[in-house]
Amino acid sequence: MSKISDLSNEELFDKYYYLVKIIANHYQKYSRQFEDLVQEGSIGLLEAKAHFDEDKGAQFQTYASFWIKKRILSILDKEIKENHHLEFNDAIELIDTNLSITEKENHGENINFSFDLPKLEELILKRSFEEKKSLNDIAGEFGISREKARQFKQKAMRRYKSEMLKKETKV
């Protein structure tokens, strides 16, 4: 059996590309295109080859799985952070395309959701977008941690995205 370091990249992909596709398929539901995930996973496979030490006794497949997941998760994390750091106006514009928004008032935007949203999540989104409150302020108002407020906000935005995807597929 040849050493992993002796394999060409083509031989490496012939032997382990299936692993990249299996792992990428597991993360496909998190909004990236499958091909993008496979590409990132393939880079992870190459990184695994570069860092693998056969003398430590680990199986390459197990070691490569770590690097493949690491690359895929890092690109998904980057996407989430980019989406999370939308400016207020960009976020309102995003919501405005799919929600009915009433007349602007002095204190911000009034948002009316056209689908059911748990009350706490709805209130957190309204505080965030209508009143332009920070997560710290929202957390203090509801007696929860900043992290919990962030999680509720993200969950509400995921629900919103899911509802908008449902509407798009019906059209």
Side-chain angles (χ1 to χ4, degrees):
M1 180 180 252
S2 61
K3 290 180 134 189
I4 295 298
S5 58
D6 294 339
L7 294 176
S8 70
N9 288 348
E10 186 175 324
E11 293 170 321
L12 182 74
F13 282 108
D14 285 345
K15 194 167 184 176
Y16 294 102
Y17 189 65
Y18 77 94
L19 182 63
V20 172
K21 289 174 73 173
I22 288 170
I23 294 171
N25 190 47
H26 177 74
Y27 293 101
Q28 186 176 4
K29 60 187 169 195
Y30 298 107
S31 83
R32 278 248 171 208
Q33 294 292 328
F34 181 70
E35 294 81 19
D36 292 343
L37 297 176
V38 170
Q39 183 176 3
E40 287 300 320
S42 297
I43 294 169
L45 182 61
L46 293 173
E47 289 176 341
K49 177 185 174 191
H51 292 94
F52 186 64
D53 184 356
E54 294 182 59
D55 296 332
K56 293 195 176 180
Q59 289 187 357
F60 181 73
Q61 182 172 327
T62 305
Y63 187 77
S65 294
F66 165 79
W67 285 93
I68 293 165
K69 288 176 188 175
K70 180 180 177 187
R71 277 306 285 218
I72 290 172
L73 290 172
S74 72
I75 197 71
L76 290 173
D77 185 52
K78 182 179 177 185
E79 182 180 287
I80 289 169
K81 286 179 181 175
E82 286 172 0
N83 289 340
H84 181 68
H85 288 97
L86 290 172
E87 294 295 323
F88 173 76
N89 291 333
D90 293 337
I92 288 296
E93 184 178 320
L94 176 68
I95 290 172
D96 190 28
T97 60
N98 294 302
L99 297 177
S100 65
I101 297 183
T102 63
E103 300 273 329
K104 291 183 180 181
E105 297 178 359
N106 291 336
H107 66 279
E109 307 280 342
N110 280 336
I111 303 171
N112 296 312
F113 294 96
S114 58
F115 58 93
D116 288 332
L117 195 63
K119 193 65 176 170
L120 182 58
E121 291 176 20
E122 181 180 340
L123 291 172
I124 287 174
L125 281 184
K126 287 183 178 236
R127 299 296 190 279
S128 182
F129 294 117
E130 286 181 2
E131 300 173 20
K132 301 179 188 178
K133 288 190 173 184
S134 70
L135 286 175
N136 287 333
D137 292 340
I138 294 168
E141 180 179 339
F142 293 106
I144 57 177
S145 69
R146 181 192 182 285
E147 176 61 18
K148 197 67 175 169
R150 184 192 65 77
Q151 290 171 2
F152 278 121
K153 182 178 176 183
Q154 281 187 329
K155 190 172 187 179
M157 291 302 288
R158 281 192 303 270
R159 286 180 200 268
Y160 158 77
K161 183 177 180 181
S162 174
E163 287 296 319
M164 294 309 106
L165 288 173
K166 285 179 191 175
K167 284 183 180 182
E168 287 177 11
T169 57
K170 288 180 182 178
V171 173

